């Protein structure tokens, strides 16, 4: 098992679109990925669990990865959580 810590950088937090990107990057991992913040935790096999954590800018998130290449996967996940997702405004 490998553990890491990330600080949420996205100005709008980890809402639906960044959650979808993070989930897509990690969904095929055969091991176990757990994310914990603000007294709650979620298994990353379920994108709704990640969204439900309500991660806001500057929140500290603990990540644990158990399985093959856990160190690399943990590092990649920390990077995804710390990324600034610069989505352009949508035109109505």
């Amino acid at each position: 098992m490998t553990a890491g810590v990330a600080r949420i950088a996205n100005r709008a937090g980890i809402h639906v679109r960044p959650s979808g990107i993070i989930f897509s990057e990690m969904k095929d991992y055969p091991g176990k990925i757990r994310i914990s913040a603000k007294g709650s935790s979620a298994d990353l096999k379920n994108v709704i669990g990640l969204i439900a954590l309500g991660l806001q800018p500057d929140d500290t998130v603990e990540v644990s990865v158990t399985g093959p290449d856990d160190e690399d996967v943990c590092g990649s996940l920390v990077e995804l959580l710390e990324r600034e997702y610069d989505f352009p405004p949508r035109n109505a």
Side-chain angles (χ1 to χ4, degrees):
M1 183 193 79
T2 300
V5 175
R7 187 184 62 76
I8 303 302
N10 195 51
R11 289 173 283 180
I14 303 298
H15 53 81
V16 173
R17 289 193 293 169
S19 292
I21 293 169
I22 293 166
F23 177 75
S24 291
E25 292 289 324
M26 298 287 138
K27 71 179 179 177
D28 293 328
Y29 182 65
K32 183 176 181 179
I33 300 173
R34 193 119 194 109
I35 297 177
S36 302
K38 302 188 274 188
S40 297
S41 64
D43 185 332
L44 200 53
K45 296 291 181 187
N46 180 347
V47 71
I48 300 299
L50 176 58
I51 295 167
L53 288 174
L55 300 174
Q56 298 298 312
D58 295 322
D59 281 352
T60 300
V61 181
E62 296 175 8
V63 174
S64 65
V65 179
T66 305
D69 301 317
D70 54 356
E71 289 182 23
D72 291 337
V73 172
C74 186
S76 294
L77 181 55
V78 166
E79 288 176 17
L80 287 167
L81 289 165
E82 292 183 336
R83 180 183 296 170
E84 173 63 48
Y85 295 88
D86 187 24
F87 297 111
R90 289 185 158 177
N91 294 330

